[in-house]
Amino acid sequence: DYYVYPKYYRLFASNKTLLDASKLILEDVAEPACYEYMFEGCSNLTFPPQLPALYIPSSAYYYMFSGCTSLTNVIDSINATIINATGCQSMFANCTSLQTPPKLPALTISGGFACWAMFENCTSLNKIPELPATSITGTANYNNMFKGCTLIKMSATQTAEYPNEYTFGAFMTTNLQTNGMFDNTGGTLFTPYDVQTIYTANEIVR
């Protein structure tokens, strides 16, 4: 018996000389775990490839750009309409120069841990993506998503400091989806639950 690694598993991981991957053409149909750790630790990567897949299967973008500390503004949008279990888990974790996140237009989040810690410790992140998904199954899909993003500021109430409505597509009835979502951020709200609308001091990426 032997283990067959996913197609592009760790393909460029820890490559310190890679600067520009923008001309790399990724597949329209992503396979489970296909891009796991693909660029992890590429500390000088500045221009990532576009992500054309409309369906993100399990673990497809798992830790894909984690630790890419030179990324500032990444792809405009993750165009997928469905994100499956662990599909984007820790995708941009520890990208400490990242300022603007991609749009996340997916309407279906399924299976659990889909966006868990997706932007964890992105300490330069100063905008926040809208989360319009109306169908959410499994648990922990948004847990720790922005944990440690110290420039993100959220509040349960609207004030002059927090003027912008931030609306979830699905009503969060428990913290099983959002536990620690905004832990160690710059605001006053850390785990939103039993809410559909909260408020932010940041610009919302739609």
Side-chain angles (χ1 to χ4, degrees):
D1 293 343
Y2 61 93
Y3 179 74
V4 178
Y5 285 101
K7 187 180 292 186
Y8 303 110
Y9 176 80
R10 298 188 62 86
L11 183 62
F12 300 105
S14 300
N15 186 323
K16 307 302 182 186
T17 61
L18 181 63
L19 303 176
D20 188 353
S22 61
K23 292 183 172 59
L24 186 66
I25 300 174
L26 302 187
E27 298 177 20
D28 290 343
V29 179
E31 299 175 4
C34 59
Y35 300 122
E36 267 192 12
Y37 300 101
M38 187 175 183
F39 298 99
E40 185 200 24
C42 292
S43 56
N44 289 306
L45 181 67
T46 306
F47 303 102
Q50 296 297 308
L51 303 176
L54 297 179
Y55 169 72
I56 300 175
S58 179
S59 298
Y61 296 156
Y62 185 88
Y63 283 84
M64 186 176 184
F65 298 103
S66 176
C68 292
T69 53
S70 294
L71 283 180
T72 53
N73 299 305
V74 292
I75 51 178
D76 178 65
S77 179
I78 295 176
N79 293 317
T81 57
I82 299 173
I83 302 175
N84 214 332
T86 68
C88 292
Q89 182 172 329
S90 298
M91 184 177 181
F92 297 104
N94 301 307
C95 290
T96 53
S97 297
L98 181 64
Q99 299 174 19
T100 302
K103 299 173 187 173
L104 296 173
L107 296 178
T108 300
I109 306 290
S110 65
F113 296 87
C115 297
W116 189 90
M118 186 175 182
F119 299 100
E120 185 174 8
N121 295 326
C122 290
T123 52
S124 297
L125 195 72
N126 55 32
K127 300 179 180 68
I128 186 168
E130 184 178 43
L131 299 175
T134 53
S135 175
I136 301 177
T137 58
T139 60
N141 285 296
Y142 296 145
N143 281 19
N144 301 324
M145 189 172 182
F146 301 101
K147 183 179 180 179
C149 296
T150 52
L151 298 183
I152 296 298
K153 297 182 178 182
M154 312 301 292
S155 172
T157 56
Q158 189 174 36
T159 65
E161 184 180 0
Y162 300 92
N164 302 318
E165 286 191 0
Y166 188 76
T167 303
F168 293 94
F171 191 84
M172 297 298 166
T173 55
T174 74
N175 67 354
L176 294 178
Q177 300 295 353
T178 60
N179 190 40
M181 187 176 187
F182 299 108
D183 274 6
N184 302 325
T185 56
T188 60
L189 180 71
F190 305 109
T191 296
Y193 57 95
D194 292 334
V195 296
Q196 188 166 15
T197 301
I198 54 181
Y199 302 91
T200 181
N202 302 94
E203 180 182 339
I204 301 168
V205 176
R206 295 183 168 93

